[in-house]
Amino acid sequence: MTQIWDAVVVGGGAAGFFGAITCAGELAGARVLILEKSKHVLSKVKVSGGGRCNVTHHCFEPKLMATHYPRGHKSLIGPLHRFGVAETVQWFGERGLLLKTEADGRMFPVSDDSQTVIDCLQDAAWSAGVHIKTSTGVKSIVVKAGASSPVFEIGLDEGKPLLARKVLLATGGTRVGAGEWLARSLGHKLHEGVPSLFTFNINDARLKELSGLSADPVEVRVEGESLVNRGPLLITHRGMSGPAILKLSAWGARELHALDYRFDLIVNWLPGQDVAASFDALRQQGGTRQIFAHSPFDTIPRRLWQSLVEAARVPSGCTWSELRREAKSALVDQLSRARFTVSGKSTNKDEFVTCGGVLTDEADMRTMESRRCPGVYFAGELLDIDGVTGGFNFQNAWTTGHLAGMALAKALEAERLPE
Ligand SMILES: Cc1cc2nc3c(=O)[nH]c(=O)nc-3n(C[C@H](O)[C@H](O)[C@H](O)COP(=O)(O)OP(=O)(O)OC[C@H]3O[C@@H](n4cnc5c(N)ncnc54)[C@H](O)[C@@H]3O)c2cc1C
C-alpha cells in the first residue's frame, strides 16, 4: 500500500525548514518530508548577507517591524505578533545560535558565518525527525478525495508521485521557482514577480574613480514619481548602491520595472540643510580658504566634494569670498538636487528578493492555510510579501514558516482524533 506523508513541504529553504521543523516538533510521530529540487537545501541562507546571514532585524514591535515591508506590511502585523523577532531570537538561542546586533539594527549570528545558521536548522530538522529529499523537484499537485479530508498527489520531476495529507508550499521567489505554477494550478492568483533590492546603473563623469565612497545621509528621489528615500549611499563602479538606493528599489519595484529601469534620479547630498546659508557662513568664517581643497561638510567625502565642485564649474583656486553668484547657484544645485540618469539595474549580491507572489488575502494569515484549497499552506517569499534590506526577508520566512508549521500540526492532530 502507498504510504501517505502527513505533510510534504515543497522547497528546502528558510521558510520550508521552519515549517517542517515546527510541524514535526509539535506533533509527535508526524511524518514530514521536505522536497528540494536542487542538490542542496538552504542555499540562499548560505550566500545571504555576504556569507554572514542577516537573520533578522532588531525591531521587537510588530507594527513598526511591518513598516519595513513594501508588500505585505498590513498582512504581516498579526503574524509578527504571534511569532516575531523576539520569538525568532529565542528560537535560535535555545538551539545554541546566538545573534548579535549591528549599529544599523541588522542581526547576525555571533559567528559571522551563515553555515552556523544552516547547521542549526539542519540539526533541528534532524532532532524533530524531518525527512529531506534533495534533487527532487515537484511538478504538480493534484487534490484527490480522501476518506474524510482531501489527499494530495504530488507529481515529481522524476519517479513515482507521492501522497500527502497536507502540503506546505515554500518554493521562494516567483521569478525563478515552479511555485508560481503550483499555486496557480491550485486556483490561486499571484501578483506578477518583479525584482526588488537592486542597484542603479549610472554612467556619469561625476562618479568616475569614486567607487567605494559613501555619503550618509543622502536623499534620493525618482523624477516624476513619488518615490523618495533617505539613508547611506554607496558609489559603485557601475553607479549607486547602499541602503538609500536599495530601499528606493524595493519601494519602487513595480514603478521602476514599468520605467524599464530608465529614469532620472535627483540626489540631495545634504538633506535638511540650507546649503546657500552654509555657504554664507563659510564665506564669513574663512573667506580666503580654497573651495576645492576641503569638503566643509562632514557627510561628504573630499573626493566626492571635489567632483561636485568641478561639475559646478567653480573656477580652479576660487576661494569662498570669490565665489560668484552663478557658480554658487550651480554648486548648490550639485549638492542639493543633482540629476543623474539611471540606465538600468544590477544585482545586489548581498541580498535580493522578488516583489510579487501569492496574494495574501487568499491565505488565512493566522494559519497560512490557503483560502482556495484547504489543506495547502504557504510560507516565505512565495507570498506577496517582501521587505527592504536588513534581515526582514528572512523574518518573513521564519514568521510564516512557523505559523504554517503550527497550523499543520494542529490540523493533523485534529484528523487523528477518533470520530
Ligand atoms: C544573495 C542573497 C542574499 C540574501 N541575503 C539575505 C539576508 O541576509 N537577510 C534576509 O533577510 N534576506 C536575505 N535574502 C532574501 C532571503 O534569502 C529570502 O527572502 C529567503 O531565502 C526566502 O526563503 P524561502 O524559503 O521562502 O525561499 P528560498 O530560500 O528561495 O527557498 C525556496 C526553495 O524551494 C526550492 N524549490 C523551488 N521550486 C521547487 C519545486 N518545484 N520543487 C522542489 N523545490 C523547489 C528552491 O530550490 C529553494 O531551495 C537574500 C537573498 C539573496 C538572493
Side-chain angles (χ1 to χ4, degrees), residues 135-209:
S135 304
T136 309
V138 170
K139 65 173 182 195
S140 63
I141 299 174
V142 178
V143 191
K144 305 252 173 187
S148 54
S149 49
V151 171
F152 298 93
E153 187 182 84
I154 300 176
L156 308 179
D157 287 342
E158 282 172 35
K160 282 192 188 157
L162 303 174
L163 293 179
R165 291 182 220 286
K166 309 280 173 207
V167 174
L168 170 57
L169 278 182
T171 49
T174 53
R175 281 175 305 132
V176 282
E180 175 171 7
W181 157 245
L182 293 174
R184 279 191 212 283
S185 74
L186 295 168
H188 278 275
K189 286 203 204 84
L190 280 85
H191 263 143
E192 186 211 353
V194 299
S196 180
L197 297 181
F198 46 85
T199 64
F200 295 171
N201 295 350
I202 299 169
N203 186 0
D204 190 292
R206 286 167 291 181
L207 304 182
K208 288 270 175 295
E209 320 268 317

Side-chain angles (χ1 to χ4, degrees), residues 10-16 35-38 40 42-45 47-49 53-55 136-139 170-173 177-179 182 348-353 379-382 390-395 397:
V10 188
L35 297 175
E36 167 55 50
K37 73 173 176 189
S38 64
H40 302 286
L42 299 166
S43 48
K44 273 200 196 163
V45 173
V47 297
S48 64
C53 187
N54 181 189
V55 175
T136 309
V138 170
K139 65 173 182 195
T171 49
L182 293 174
N348 168 41
K349 300 273 183 329
D350 278 351
E351 182 175 354
F352 55 89
V353 74
E381 209 179 308
L382 172 63
F392 302 100
N393 288 302
F394 276 136
Q395 187 58 56

